[in-house]
Amino acid sequence: MTKPAKKLFLKTFGCQMNVYDSERIAEALAPLGYGETQEIGEADLVILNTCHIREKAAEKVYSELGRIGGIKSARRERGRDTVIAVAGCVAQAEGRAIVERAPVVDIVVGPQSYHRLPDLLVRARREDRHVVDTEFPEEDKFRRLPARGAGRRPPAAFLTVQEGCDKFCTFCVVPYTRGAEYSRAVAEIVTEAERLAQAGVREVTLLGQNVNAYHGQGPDGAAWSLARLLRRIAAVSGIERVRYTTSHPRDMDDDLIAVHGEVEEVMPYLHLPFQAGSDRILAAMNRKHTVDDYRRLIARIREARPDIALSTDIIVGFPGETDAEFDATLRLVDEVTFAQAYSFKYSPRPGTPAATIEEQVPEPVKADRLAALQQALNAQKAAFNAACVGRTMPVLLERPGRLAGQLVGRSPYLQPVHTMAPESRVGEIAAVEIVSAGPNSLEGDTKSESDLPLEVAALH
Ligand code: 5AD
Ligand code: SF4
């Protein structure tokens, strides 16, 4: 292989959808001669793929741009040019304001326009000016991006199947930054999954901002549900594990619940945000479900798959949230019990309805609530992990760990598992006997025989 002529430094913030987009961006730039580097000082092109979901994330981008501006000047002194591009949701939300606040930036590109990056690069160079593309173009970026290559890949991969959101939760920027809900066609997704499998991928996580609202066109012309898509992807030869995220409680239909009990490849893990434990707050959030709807849904899911590991997103300090309403959140956490969860202090996002509500909760109150909530969630996570000790689980060995001779994999419940095994076993779904559990991960002994038929015993 010839050495790539130019170097690309690509930094990803935020969610898994950005991780997926970054891979596609790198693949789109490879034909132009860009190879990735981890050394920013060597990069001819620096791309920050940004996240706008919470305030600090956008601020981090600006401080990062300050630092990169210094690197750009230092390179210029050595006669080297550096193109700086900001992609992702901050790019979409802030648009031209980015080049005004950080003039070192050459290109601002929204998430729907990545297929245009090669053109934007040419324009930025030729016209020697800032280029901003934050349109929601008519053409479909997925069809315009180069097909995924068949070179070896790590055994677990993301695959975006749906983008955007029509739910309009009052705290959330996603419907504005990622636009209206859109589902890719089934055939396109199946082809991509087959290519991933040929490249050594054994586990695929189907991604979407509201993935279970998926309604892509099937080969039969009908709109397929996520449940139907999961069954189809599970049947792709070489794909042995399937996951999906993120779901909305309103879109958990009967068939999707049934899939958890019926399709062996669908892993016993579900990320299902509930956001708040009070009906008044849920209504103010425009969540379109009540606490009781969520409770009943969880009961049905556990009936279909008793050992399912549940994860969720929770916001504390939504405008007007009282102590009693926050206590209701803690009670729901106690009642449901989560294997893991993400929790956040409410942060007003410009342009969203909740940002204009007057009764914002004071910062110290939010901090206290978050600490209390995280204490409860951490205890549940530790208990879930501890309950795994002594079990033998099928673990997909994904990559070398930090210690020599160590590999890191994932259990069916998405827990990281550390184990001593040779690197040649990466990509294997090995039987691992769990010997100890920490707050965030497990440790285990890998059995010598691979792919033992394992029963994943109920944890609840
Ligand atoms: N403030 C705090 N948390 C937020 N999230 C989304 N918007 C906000 C906001 N304005 C959280 C939600 C969502 C997760 C991805 O981020 O819990 O599910
Ligand atoms: Fe945002 Fe999720 Fe609500 Fe859509 S469903 S508006 S992505 S929090």
Side-chain angles (χ1 to χ4, degrees), residues 165-169 171-175 209-210 248 275 287:
C165 183
D166 293 343
K167 290 284 188 294
F168 289 94
C169 298
F171 52 80
C172 185
V173 287
V174 166
Q209 262 99 21
N210 187 181
H248 191 287
Q275 313 294 4
R287 284 291 293 174

Side-chain angles (χ1 to χ4, degrees), residues 30-195:
L32 276 69
Y34 284 100
E36 274 196 79
T37 175
Q38 307 301 318
E39 281 296 325
I40 191 167
E42 286 185 352
D44 305 290
L45 171 60
V46 175
I47 302 180
L48 299 184
N49 191 5
T50 62
C51 168
H52 199 240
I53 200 95
R54 282 170 295 279
E55 199 161 24
K56 280 209 194 94
E59 286 311 309
K60 267 195 223 157
V61 171
Y62 282 112
S63 73
E64 192 83 10
L65 285 171
R67 200 172 65 83
I68 297 169
I71 296 170
K72 182 170 176 154
S73 327
R75 276 174 55 89
R76 191 178 298 126
E77 279 166 26
R78 286 186 277 127
R80 311 288 293 272
D81 190 26
T82 316
V83 177
I84 301 179
V86 178
C89 294
V90 174
Q92 187 64 44
E94 308 250 305
R96 193 157 287 281
I98 294 181
V99 291
E100 279 153 21
R101 187 163 158 189
V104 293
V105 172
D106 302 284
I107 298 172
V108 176
V109 57
Q112 304 312 321
S113 301
Y114 295 150
H115 56 294
R116 294 178 173 176
L117 254 171
D119 273 356
L120 298 175
L121 274 166
V122 172
R123 271 177 51 200
R125 265 181 213 274
R126 193 178 52 209
E127 299 166 24
D128 192 27
R129 63 175 180 87
H130 302 306
V131 192
V132 178
D133 185 345
T134 51
E135 278 176 48
F136 288 97
E138 279 291 307
E139 75 267 14
D140 174 348
K141 80 168 169 201
F142 291 109
R143 294 214 177 114
R144 300 288 173 107
L145 283 165
R148 313 214 68 189
R152 290 309 282 179
R153 286 176 187 277
F158 295 134
L159 202 177
T160 294
V161 303
Q162 180 278 333
E163 278 196 283
C165 183
D166 293 343
K167 290 284 188 294
F168 289 94
C169 298
T170 56
F171 52 80
C172 185
V173 287
V174 166
Y176 312 97
T177 58
R178 291 272 176 163
E181 208 175 281
Y182 163 81
S183 298
R184 297 176 69 189
V186 172
E188 215 180 291
I189 296 165
V190 170
T191 304
E192 191 168 330
E194 286 169 348
R195 284 199 155 234

Side-chain angles (χ1 to χ4, degrees), residues 333-339 375-385:
V333 165
D334 269 353
E335 202 181 311
V336 175
T337 67
F338 293 94
Q375 197 179 2
L377 292 169
N378 287 339
Q380 292 189 351
K381 181 159 67 169
F384 184 84
N385 289 346

Side-chain angles (χ1 to χ4, degrees), residues 221-388:
W224 281 32
S225 65
L226 181 68
R228 213 168 157 194
L229 180 68
L230 283 166
R231 291 180 198 273
R232 178 67 188 84
I233 298 299
V236 169
S237 163
I239 299 297
E240 293 177 49
R241 292 179 156 198
V242 187
R243 306 179 185 274
Y244 62 97
T245 200
T246 287
S247 297
H248 191 287
R250 267 288 279 263
D251 297 315
M252 286 304 298
D253 62 27
D254 292 346
D255 195 20
L256 186 53
I257 294 173
V259 159
H260 280 280
E262 292 168 11
V263 183
E264 200 190 343
E265 289 84 355
V266 172
M267 289 292 98
Y269 180 93
L270 177 65
H271 180 66
L272 195 61
F274 76 81
Q275 313 294 4
S278 127
D279 285 342
R280 191 188 75 84
I281 296 292
L282 287 174
M285 287 177 162
N286 189 31
R287 284 291 293 174
K288 308 177 206 290
H289 64 84
T290 64
V291 174
D292 216 43
D293 292 336
Y294 190 81
R295 246 187 227 125
R296 280 196 303 249
L297 192 52
I298 295 297
R300 285 168 55 216
I301 294 162
R302 282 202 164 126
E303 203 176 311
R305 181 76 205 221
D307 68 322
I308 199 153
L310 294 170
S311 163
T312 197
D313 287 342
I314 304 167
I315 296 175
V316 301
F318 184 82
E321 185 187 65
T322 64
D323 284 340
E325 284 163 343
F326 170 65
D327 286 345
T329 294
L330 284 179
R331 277 203 302 280
L332 188 57
V333 165
D334 269 353
E335 202 181 311
V336 175
T337 67
F338 293 94
Q340 76 104 46
Y342 302 92
S343 48
F344 312 99
K345 285 189 275 192
Y346 170 73
S347 133
R349 310 314 291 130
T352 60
T356 61
I357 302 176
E358 278 188 10
E359 319 151 74
Q360 296 290 326
V361 174
E363 190 55 33
V365 176
K366 286 193 220 175
D368 285 352
R369 288 181 188 168
L370 188 67
L373 176 61
Q374 290 188 338
Q375 197 179 2
L377 292 169
N378 287 339
Q380 292 189 351
K381 181 159 67 169
F384 184 84
N385 289 346
C388 296

